Amino acid sequence: MDSLEFSHLHGGYDTQQIFKDLNLNLPKGAFIALTGPNGSGKSTLLKFIYKHLKPSEGKVLVEGKNVANFTQKELAKHLGFVAQNGKLDYAFSVREAVSMGRYAYDGEDNLHTIEQAIVECDIEHLKDKLVTELSGGELQRVLLARALCQQGKLLLLDEPVNHLDVKHQRSIMELLCRLVEKGYTVVCVLHDLLLVQIYSQIALVLQKGSVVAYGPTQTVLTEKLLQEVYDIQAHQVYDPTLDRMLWLPTYKVSSS
Ligand SMILES: Nc1ncnc2c1ncn2[C@@H]1O[C@H](COP(=O)(O)OP(=O)(O)OP(=O)(O)O)[C@@H](O)[C@H]1O
């Protein structure tokens, strides 16, 4: 069974229809990068999955079940979501904020799961700090730990490494890969094409609410696609550590 399916999905906002008859099956246990230019519909697509938006027609299925039929608690046990530039406005401690990820579980195995998520996201040293006093990158890791506590096998992340330094970018991306190895499905909005190429197995490229490319990342990203979707020239370079070619934008820097 696919972990996530969009079936004849139509919808968007009162002012603007974004998706028209979207049909797609995303496989279980894969790292799926959701990419595309600004305003192409990436965050909107996630909103249909976590029921922030309701389709005007069609449906979203998680593990074969229409999300419209899940209660919020059931959905929380199936999927975790880390928002873009997520904010926590109240002065909770980091530990309290992470423990909120357990709200659907009525006390089952809370302590162990919370501690494990705190260790995995490398925020042990922040446990007693207030979330209102964290840097953007620290907060992002707290929000990921909270989502991990939900123990859903589907993780949705909207640009999760935007605020992170290079070391923490790498550690979060590697953590996501380890989760995929354990059977999680990760759907991750990423703008950075290098991260897309290095970490994702499948790329889904959106443009103006349409799927312009979908499939194994290494075959999806091509010079033609980058030109057509982003209007950029690109070239390939060999990465000796990965032992493969990677696409890079071709920069033109004036010498004067
Ligand atoms: N709450 C809203 N009400 C009306 N229109 C919206 C709303 N949120 C987004 N949009 C519009 O929907 C379209 C898709 O937006 P969306 O945020 O999904 O794009 P995105 O691909 O995630 O963009 P970005 O890369 O800039 O984050 C855009 O034209 C945007 O202006």
Side-chain angles (χ1 to χ4, degrees):
M1 189 188 294
D2 295 306
S3 74
L4 185 58
E5 183 180 346
F6 302 93
S7 172
H8 300 290
L9 180 97
H10 295 248
Y13 305 97
D14 290 344
T15 48
Q16 198 181 350
Q17 163 112 326
I18 308 293
F19 293 100
K20 295 180 190 102
D21 200 24
L22 176 72
N23 292 288
L24 202 60
N25 291 325
L26 302 183
K28 240 184 164 121
F31 192 130
I32 299 153
L34 180 50
T35 195
N38 291 134
S40 55
K42 303 178 294 296
S43 301
T44 306
L45 191 62
L46 297 187
K47 288 178 192 170
F48 285 111
I49 309 168
Y50 64 83
K51 290 212 321 184
H52 186 80
L53 283 178
K54 206 170 151 193
S56 52
E57 272 180 59
K59 56 193 172 188
V60 180
L61 301 138
V62 169
E63 302 277 342
K65 190 172 162 187
N66 188 341
V67 294
N69 300 326
F70 279 104
T71 64
Q72 280 304 338
K73 272 194 174 181
E74 278 171 344
L75 196 61
K77 289 181 177 181
H78 279 83
L79 67 88
F81 169 58
V82 180
Q84 181 181 20
N85 304 325
K87 266 198 192 153
L88 290 170
D89 289 329
Y90 296 97
F92 296 111
S93 72
V94 163
R95 202 176 188 293
E96 285 168 329
V98 174
S99 67
M100 287 170 199
R102 298 298 295 164
Y103 82 96
Y105 286 91
D106 304 323
E108 288 164 49
D109 195 25
N110 282 356
L111 289 178
H112 174 70
T113 310
I114 293 164
E115 284 310 315
Q116 207 177 6
I118 284 175
V119 170
E120 279 185 311
C121 294
D122 192 20
I123 52 172
E124 287 160 288
H125 58 296
L126 301 173
K127 264 197 286 198
D128 299 318
K129 261 192 125 171
L130 297 179
V131 289
T132 46
E133 295 170 354
L134 299 177
S135 75
E138 289 169 342
L139 181 61
Q140 201 65 21
R141 277 149 49 217
V142 171
L143 296 174
L144 177 57
R146 186 179 67 173
L148 289 183
C149 277
Q150 292 173 227
Q151 293 184 307
K153 286 289 187 213
L154 175 60
L155 268 183
L156 310 176
L157 306 106
D158 200 345
E159 301 183 37
V161 295
N162 267 11
H163 290 290
L164 303 190
D165 63 54
V166 186
K167 179 184 163 193
H168 283 109
Q169 276 195 7
R170 201 177 62 178
S171 76
I172 292 295
M173 296 305 284
E174 287 175 357
L175 168 60
L176 296 177
C177 290
R178 285 200 299 279
L179 293 171
V180 167
E181 279 166 20
K182 287 186 197 167
Y184 281 70
T185 306
V186 168
V187 180
C188 186
V189 175
L190 288 170
H191 278 297
D192 185 329
L193 291 176
L194 270 184
L195 296 181
V196 171
Q197 292 172 88
I198 293 166
Y199 294 105
S200 74
Q201 295 152 339
I202 291 177
L204 169 56
V205 187
L206 291 181
Q207 189 176 32
K208 295 182 184 157
S210 294
V211 175
V212 284
Y214 171 69
T217 304
Q218 289 192 48
T219 55
V220 159
L221 293 189
T222 60
E223 188 175 9
K224 185 166 174 276
L225 181 105
L226 296 172
Q227 168 73 57
E228 285 174 2
V229 173
Y230 293 101
D231 192 21
I232 57 161
Q233 301 291 322
H235 62 278
Q236 284 189 301
V237 291
Y238 176 70
D239 184 298
T241 321
L242 299 170
D243 189 25
R244 59 184 161 94
M245 302 297 283
L246 297 171
W247 286 105
L248 279 187
T250 305
Y251 294 101
K252 293 182 184 121
V253 183
S254 155
S255 54
S256 58

